[in-house]
Amino acid sequence: MKTNLKMNDVSKTEFLNDVAEEMAKLLKKPLPAVMVMLDDCPMCMNRSEDTVVFSEFRYVLPREFADNKSGFLKQFADTMLLVIQKHTKVDPYRIYMQFTEMDRQSAWRYTE
């Protein structure tokens, strides 16, 4: 994730922990298998330096969603939107999320 919002160390840690916990639940993965990164950097959108967040999520589709990928992605996006807004108070129109599905056979596996 990248944002132009300046956060103190406690806020960053709480944000990263919340994102990791929600992702672990969504992806049915143990928490030690979830990596979350946050970079603060200059960002501008529509000529404004108001708070903006860009997030890239890489995932292996949980097996129970094999026939409902769009439902899974909606749940994933809705959950991450709530967590991001909770910690940043950013306008939802200034949050961009990119989702990349990893092939189960070629992805690193912590556990099955």
Side-chain angles (χ1 to χ4, degrees):
M1 296 181 292
K2 294 181 183 283
T3 185
N4 60 348
L5 178 66
K6 302 296 182 212
M7 301 172 86
N8 65 43
D9 289 342
V10 172
S11 297
K12 281 182 186 179
T13 299
E14 290 173 358
F15 181 37
L16 291 170
N17 287 343
D18 277 359
V19 169
E21 289 170 9
E22 291 300 326
M23 286 184 62
K25 287 184 223 172
L26 287 165
L27 298 172
K28 313 288 190 240
K29 290 177 72 172
L31 193 53
V34 176
M35 180 188 349
V36 182
M37 298 181 293
L38 179 63
D39 291 327
D40 58 345
C41 57
M43 297 175 79
C44 183
M45 182 177 150
N46 194 24
R47 297 184 178 170
S48 168
E49 292 182 6
D50 290 346
T51 301
V52 62
V53 176
F54 172 79
S55 298
E56 179 184 1
F57 300 102
R58 296 180 189 175
Y59 67 94
V60 174
L61 186 67
R63 286 187 170 102
E64 62 267 24
F65 286 99
D67 295 329
N68 188 12
K69 183 176 175 178
S70 63
F72 169 76
L73 288 173
K74 181 180 183 336
Q75 182 180 356
F76 199 167
D78 289 349
T79 300
M80 290 299 106
L81 180 66
L82 290 174
V83 174
I84 291 168
Q85 284 189 286
K86 172 184 169 185
H87 290 275
T88 66
K89 310 294 188 244
V90 66
D91 180 334
Y93 292 103
R94 295 180 64 82
I95 298 173
Y96 282 79
M97 291 183 268
Q98 176 181 339
F99 298 89
T100 303
E101 183 177 1
M102 307 293 290
D103 179 68
R104 183 171 296 280
Q105 286 69 33
S106 62
W108 176 80
R109 288 180 260 169
Y110 183 78
T111 61
E112 268 301 311

